[in-house]
Amino acid sequence: MSLSGQPGNIKLAVRDESGPEGTSMLQPDSMDLVLKTGPSRKLAVEGPVAAECATRAVLPQLKVRVADMAGNFTNEGDFEVALNPSALAADDSGHAVSVQACGGNKIKLQKGTAVFKDVKITAEEAGEYVLRIASGSRKVALEEAELKLTLSAANFITDVAIDPDSLPDEPLPAGSSFPITVKIQTEDGQPLPLETAAESLTLKLTPPSGHRADILTLQPSAVVEASDLANAGTAWCAFAFDSGDLTCSGAYTVTAEHTEQRPELARALLKKELSMRSPAISFEVSSGPLSELQLAAESASERVTVTNGEAHEQRVLLSDAVLQVADSHGNAVLSPGIRVCASLQWPEGSEGAADGGILPELQSSEGKLEGETDRHGRVCFGALSVKQGSGKAAASENQAANSQGNAMACVLVVQVQVAEDQYEGDAAPEWRCEVLFCDDSSRFESLNQLTERHTELAARRQQLQAHLEAANRELANAQQEAARAQKAAEAKARDAGPSAPANLHEAQARLAEVRQGAEAGPSSEAGPPAVPPRFGPPNQATTHAIQTCLHAEDPEVVGVLAQLATVDDTSLSQVLAATYRALLPVLVVQSSACTQRLNQLLAQAQQPVPDILSLSHSQPYKGPTKGQTPGMAGCGDRAAALLAAACKDSDALLPVPLPHTRALRQKQHRGGHSLGPNDWPGGCLGYAFNLVRPTRPGHRGSLLYSLLGTVLVFETLQDASAYRELVTQKLESNMADLVCLDGKRITSKGITSGSNSFRVTPLAEAPCCFGSSAQADTVGADALRHQVWHLLCLYESATGC
């Protein structure tokens, strides 16, 4: 005869059934036995043996234990165990899942336990898979442990592409704009929300210049319906990007890029997998209709001064006159055969000729004043100058053409000679330059100096105008950044809950109230004794390190676990202090980046590093949130009072079924048990995470459920023992630790802890404990200080203060 089961005291009875209705005719006999853990025979996964997650996910930890044939943990073994790098499909289809643990897939057991941390799961297809963990030692042969994985598709981005049908087939005229469509394919076939796409999806538009500074980054402006796509293909959703006015002619290149910003998906991706880029596609923009004539070879000033003397350099208007026909955006119009002519003319409204003024004669080094554009749309006249001895300044200084005394004003005009239907605008395109003509060589130098000064002032004006335009662009960018910072601040305020200040003014006002309250000291009104949260002996180095972190004023420091919940019942607080002695000093932060900053801070201060939990590593509650725990309506008066106090002005209780309810529902046991699925056990107070009151909204499900686990609290050891016997022996299910208000504990293995392993001390002597609600104002002030500090940083970055 062999026996197997959980270790503990059992009674073996012997009797016959020969009597009436199966009674014993002989005297029954029995003997008491102590069932002990057997020799190590296999590896077993501690906790659920099945997990559900996305095709790409990270399991925070996977704990493997050495067990006997009955599944009892032996706490023996110091050899290596190996996590199989591939989980095979349960249906033998040949599909496999990549499995990689942080630090490697081999870990040495410590007292029969191995913990694989941050196990990354990567699958190409959804489905059911089996992950095996085996002994890594050739000398130790143990049965493999198995973890069943049910992987489902998530909203991961699997493909990003630009819809070629949204790009023009023929070159667009300069100044055009059009919507560019980007198609997105997701793993689960669900569309990507527009607000998510606005943060993660961009379109880079590279102009013909190719300069990095000129690349435009566009954001999606609207969702494109599938019916509007010429070829929906494999795209589950599409977004439109407004190209803006494309004023430069040439080849443009567009590339779409998606960078995953959703934390719940990003943590499961490698760094190289966070961003996905589409193939680049090009399209052409051509020049518009002819509307301008530009000087191409050199930059001319607004005014030049010439004379008709012997010195050739004093008679030159342009040293290299090359003219380019262009559109209204300055793009070259590549049209050959356009006739262009150059001439000197009187200014508009001038009567220089009537008063005796004679225009000087214009000459070209090329020997022509008329020409036709080449295939690039350019015409060259060479050096344009005034013929020696030609021209005469008007005698009257009151004439517009002679406003400079002996200097006569005229205009150098280069004009396009084409029909009206061949250009855009009211008049034929032309290029003009003011000319001061002086027939007195002695006064030429002074006039030339005045012209140079005029040129310098004009250049300075253009420089200031360029600075003004740059400042306007920077202002626009700063306003966009401020809008984004404002949006981020609003999101942080929503995350902080309704108690967070709504704006900077309110934040400053509430911070002032907190400071005044701190200076005024505690109220003199009578009330329950205040129990402050404690997270270690005051003289301990780790306690000082935690204080350093809390006073670092890092906006991502949430607080110590002891500060993040309150308990008013003294007996309950004492038991929880003994149960969670190692967890109460855990420092909670918002991100891994904050953990690194605190490590650097403590290293500089030469202080030890305490245990730190990042909320990005916490495994939040994923079950239903509405309703209540089955059977809670029938709980006792003390349980009802404690549960009501735990959710007063705070998070609602989590409706997690009790172990017997879960077992009865899963295994569909028949009746005959002392408890039904909707009954409440006698003396049961509830789960520990439902008996504490979170000091911050949302922490019951996101933090306390993960840290406190499924520990049940009972009033007496007798109540706890009876309930455990029902669940483990009659319902054949497992359960976590049971702690009692009378200072006793039954572990998950069924061991009733002695005074050496579990000791409940008076609350005043406990080095670590939760605070009471009488301390809620202090805790709330500390939380408010972090909220205010965070919002101040956001608003200052948004306003530039």
Side-chain angles (χ1 to χ4, degrees), residues 706-720:
S706 174
L707 283 182
L708 303 188
T710 54
V711 172
L712 274 174
V713 183
F714 281 80
E715 292 191 56
T716 65
L717 177 63
Q718 182 179 357
D719 296 329

Side-chain angles (χ1 to χ4, degrees), residues 525-541:
E525 296 180 2
V531 178
R534 295 192 289 272
F535 39 84
N539 57 350
Q540 194 175 65

